[in-house]
Amino acid sequence: MDKYGLIGYPLGHSFSRRFFTEKFTREGIDATYDNYEIPDARMILDVVRDNPELRGLNCTIPHKQAILPLLDWFSTEAREIGAVNVIRIRRDMNARIRLEGFNTDVIGFAESIKPLLSSEHRNALVLGTGGASRAVCYALSRLGLRWTYVSRSRHEGMLTYDDLTPDTMQTYQVVVNCSPAGMYPHVDEAPRLPYEAMGRHHLLYDLVYNPEETLFMKLGAQQGAVVKNGLEMLHLQALASWEIWNGRSKDFTF
């Protein structure tokens, strides 16, 4: 029986395990999906060695970047983004192992936000500078948008939340929240933005999907902005993982 899984630390609630277990049951696929909670990315080598049926892994925090030196090959997106969330495992006749890295976050985000974009969406604010934001920025660039990071502390080339004035919001029509602000159980939190300056020409995309409507989305919608959460992105990146594990190298075409 083929095995797949998720590496990260810590691993509490796992969307991936539930998603793939339900997929395998629904489609009659003879496979299992397990969580491998490893505090050190280097422990992936033990996981792969101890599970010879393992064909692929998803990778989540804090290992998306730390895993890179341990891989034998990267997709174009993974190399340029500098982060991996999918690993394909190949074994030859002599049981030698080859680990290949991909980034399906960029695929999921791009395919999810693209139908919402119009010609007036030219500039984007990306809230947060973690691993997921790298994929978001890569996708925005490939979709033709200019983007700027927003960070809590001041760094060269970035804005801080104190810099975001009503005039700023007229320049940036797209806002993507890559921070955990508003994620359950902190549902009363939202990124500190001048929401009153937003309108129907703004698009607010939240990578958070629990709750279904975050306060960030709610405040934007009250001003007439288009809003969307990250659930579809999550589904799309998971489906792209499955394609990769089954031999379809997924260098995404924009």
Side-chain angles (χ1 to χ4, degrees):
M1 179 185 295
D2 290 337
K3 295 176 69 173
Y4 304 88
L6 172 69
I7 59 169
Y9 187 85
L11 293 177
H13 168 76
S14 170
F15 161 84
S16 297
R17 186 175 188 178
R18 185 180 73 253
F19 178 89
F20 283 107
T21 298
E22 291 176 355
K23 175 182 174 66
F24 297 159
T25 300
R26 184 174 62 251
E27 300 179 16
I29 298 171
D30 188 22
T32 62
Y33 191 103
D34 298 307
N35 287 345
Y36 300 96
E37 193 171 63
I38 55 174
D40 188 321
R42 290 171 294 183
M43 295 173 68
I44 185 180
L45 303 177
D46 297 326
V47 171
V48 174
R49 184 192 64 234
D50 295 342
N51 295 274
E53 304 88 1
L54 201 57
R55 294 186 56 195
L57 290 165
N58 290 117
C59 178
T60 189
I61 55 174
H63 301 325
K64 288 186 176 184
Q65 294 164 264
I67 204 75
L68 293 173
L70 304 172
L71 304 180
D72 301 295
W73 179 89
F74 315 92
S75 69
T76 301
E77 293 91 357
R79 180 177 290 106
E80 295 192 22
I81 294 166
V84 160
N85 74 318
V86 175
I87 300 163
R88 183 166 63 195
I89 301 165
R90 294 187 181 276
R91 304 175 195 266
D92 67 14
M93 296 292 291
N94 297 315
R96 287 183 300 231
I97 297 169
R98 173 180 165 92
L99 302 179
E100 301 174 344
F102 301 81
N103 191 302
T104 62
D105 285 335
V106 64
I107 300 169
F109 174 73
E111 291 187 348
S112 179
I113 197 173
K114 188 160 56 172
L116 304 178
L117 295 174
S118 67
S119 59
E120 62 192 9
H121 294 138
R122 298 180 298 275
N123 301 299
L125 293 174
V126 178
L127 312 182
T129 58
S133 69
R134 292 172 176 240
V136 165
C137 292
Y138 180 88
L140 290 171
S141 294
R142 296 292 295 273
L143 290 168
L145 278 75
R146 295 181 293 273
W147 53 267
T148 300
Y149 274 129
V150 180
S151 175
R152 287 176 294 180
S153 54
R154 190 164 297 280
H155 300 280
E156 185 177 355
M158 299 183 187
L159 297 174
T160 69
Y161 288 94
D162 290 335
D163 296 324
L164 304 182
T165 66
D167 286 342
T168 305
M169 301 314 299
Q170 300 313 305
T171 300
Y172 294 93
Q173 306 83 19
V174 178
V175 185
V176 184
N177 179 37
C178 301
S179 80
M183 182 184 296
Y184 180 86
H186 304 290
V187 297
D188 294 328
E189 297 178 1
R192 184 162 51 87
L193 305 173
Y195 294 94
E196 70 281 359
M198 299 179 186
R200 62 182 182 85
H201 299 298
H202 284 88
L203 166 60
L204 273 62
Y205 191 107
D206 201 336
L207 266 61
V208 173
Y209 59 91
N210 182 19
E212 184 175 335
E213 184 184 38
T214 61
L215 184 57
F216 166 74
M217 295 169 60
K218 188 177 298 183
L219 293 172
Q222 289 173 355
Q223 302 300 319
V226 175
V227 300
K228 185 167 187 174
N229 69 21
L231 186 59
E232 184 185 39
M233 172 184 170
L234 203 61
H235 287 166
L236 290 170
Q237 67 85 18
L239 291 172
S241 300
W242 181 248
E243 292 185 2
I244 288 167
W245 293 331
N246 286 275
R248 293 179 284 276
S249 178
K250 195 73 173 180
D251 274 355
F252 188 57
T253 302
F254 287 78

